[in-house]
Amino acid sequence: MDDARAAALALLASREPGATICPSEVARAIAPGDTWREAMPEVHAAVDCLLLERRVGLSWKGRPLSARTGPYRIRRLPPN
């Protein structure tokens, strides 16, 4: 899970403020080739932890989500 967490935070840091990333981008960053789908449970677990820590927020089609359900995008939250 640490790899997924670090990858998510690094991808978000590389984007403009307010930009979002797809969880599959995180999975592709930590898993080689076509094995990225196997990394999705690890990505989801890392996102859940980051969400609880209020490091990230989730949205879908521009609408905020309070929990990870169905398709979602990940965005960086401003520091507390």
Side-chain angles (χ1 to χ4, degrees), residues 36-59:
W36 66 269
R37 285 180 182 87
E38 296 168 17
M40 288 304 292
E42 180 182 349
V43 171
H44 294 316
V47 168
D48 289 344
C49 288
L50 290 168
L51 187 62
L52 285 172
E53 295 169 6
R54 304 214 22 89
R55 302 278 309 270
V56 301
L58 305 180
S59 63

Side-chain angles (χ1 to χ4, degrees), residues 24-43:
S24 66
E25 291 178 72
V26 179
R28 286 181 173 97
I30 63 170
D34 291 335
T35 65
W36 66 269
R37 285 180 182 87
E38 296 168 17
M40 288 304 292
E42 180 182 349
V43 171

Side-chain angles (χ1 to χ4, degrees), residues 1-16 19 21-23 25-27 29-30 43 46-47 49-51 53-57 74-77:
M1 182 170 60
D2 290 340
D3 289 344
R5 177 190 175 89
L9 292 173
L11 284 167
L12 288 168
S14 73
R15 306 286 169 93
E16 293 293 321
I21 59 172
C22 181
E25 291 178 72
V26 179
I30 63 170
V43 171
V47 168
C49 288
L50 290 168
L51 187 62
E53 295 169 6
R54 304 214 22 89
R55 302 278 309 270
V56 301
I74 308 160
R75 65 183 164 84
R76 179 176 33 179
L77 290 180

